[in-house]
Amino acid sequence: MCLGDDPTCAAFAEHRLRYRRDMEPERRAFLKSGFVATGGAAALAAGGLTLVSPALAQSSAGRLKQTAHYHLPANAETVHWGYFSKKLKPQVEIDSGDFVTIETLTHHANDDAERMVTGDPGAESVFLWTKERKGVARRGAGPEDSKLGPGGGLGVHICTGPVAIRGAEPGDVLEVRILDVAPRPSANPKFRGRTFGSNAAAWWGYHYNDMLGGNKREVVTIYEVDASGERDWAKAVYSFPWPGVTDPDGRDHPTIDYPGLPVDHTKTRRSFDVLKGIRVPIRPHFGTMGLAPSEADMVNSIPPSYTGGNIDNWRIGKGATLYYPVAVPGALFSVGDPHASQGDSELCGTAIECSLTGTFQFILHKKADLAGTSLEALDFPMIETSEDWVLSGFSYPNYLKDLGPDAQNAIFQKSSIDLAMRDAFRKMRQFLMQAKGLTEDEAISLMSVAVDFGITQVVDGNWGVHAIVKKAIFSERAV
């Protein structure tokens, strides 16, 4: 059914108007709350603690115009598959302070097209693949003539966007507030009221070379999520060993080596007796979210880096705020890789990969206003929640610069937890000293007794360790 996102629909204009009319009360509610005028994140932060100081909030708010609310659907015309690029044409251009509701699709939807693609015009347009044509031909940052198909699968995430922010320039910081996250319901009448996701224990998983008995295999588990969002847990529906796929172009795929491969379930062995009686807590979030880097024209979506991307931290969900250093004019924000849930490490290679829709607000902080603030030296993606600050450490903070011309290949051989831990430590030390006014000795002591370091992911090429510090620690400190 067209929700104002299918230009081929005979009633597209009517449906689009209805969508905008339905969104207007929500937009007015945001504005009425004074979210923008009060500095936004401060209203959500424990004890009023936020990275945006009152002075910076006032400077940034002074540039705001009357805000608008946009809707960016996910379809073959609005997504780019498997890469970030500073060369991409923006799907929408907005002003600082504007809201955008963005639909995102999981690249694993074809693991069960009946549940996650059928009847959904946007998903059908993206996953279309016949002998005659492909809805989205390029999948990855590799060459056009790759034997696996254009892009070569060197990057797998379906990213909606980019969104350009007027006036954004290198050296600025973009604040992105995640105001809402909602599951995308199955459009197939057989599964009304339900949403589904896929978890692939795949060859790139941390476990793969350590299977009992040396019996390497890829196994996909399909999960069900309540489409209303009221039930806070997911349950497994069935699992199946990867059967090997021959794609519509006649290429064989004995492993999951190219995104969007259509699985023919007449050839799978499905087990419906899997994870019985187990409820998986859901925490919907976006695994891949960030800005276009400047170092290359086309960048693989898998390894995260200094402008964000595939961080795969489950804390990037509703209520969180992300701060990104801007690397290219317009910032060029894209989002994808939606997850219903994930544990720290994403050990087997994926989360519960589940299509979601998010509502975001974008606030631009200009370089000229950052001096003396907590954001002055920000050169990595930082997460702020109501209770925590979360710093993202990577094996290589900017692997595109750190590893030279062959960086996009070399990163997959050079990552380690040791390197990611070292980066997280250095970033937390810098944050505590600059933003919180501690000496180095004070910062080191506090990190050992009160900062939690965790493994974000060990499957994305550029492995990650996050450092979490509670805001409440600083509730009595003036700085």
Side-chain angles (χ1 to χ4, degrees), residues 292-308:
S294 61
E295 285 77 7
D297 287 349
M298 193 169 289
V299 178
N300 185 332
S301 70
I302 295 175
S305 192
Y306 73 105
T307 54

Side-chain angles (χ1 to χ4, degrees), residues 34 54 85 106 123 151 153 196 259 272 283 411 459-460 471:
S85 176
T106 172
F196 297 91
F272 287 86
R283 35 198 186 194
I411 187 60
V459 295
D460 294 337
K471 293 180 176 181

Side-chain angles (χ1 to χ4, degrees), residues 249-269:
D249 295 328
R251 303 182 189 93
D252 291 329
H253 301 268
T255 62
I256 307 171
D257 61 359
Y258 192 71
L261 293 170
V263 174
D264 180 357
H265 280 287
T266 66
K267 298 179 180 178
T268 62
R269 294 183 289 106

Side-chain angles (χ1 to χ4, degrees), residues 51-63:
L51 292 179
V52 180
S53 66
L56 179 58
Q58 186 173 10
S59 296
S60 299
R63 298 188 182 87

Side-chain angles (χ1 to χ4, degrees), residues 197-201 219-223 236-240 274-275 351-352:
S198 174
N199 168 251
V219 177
V220 176
T221 304
I222 302 298
Y223 286 83
V237 181
Y238 68 91
S239 66
F240 63 93
V274 57
L275 292 171
I352 299 181

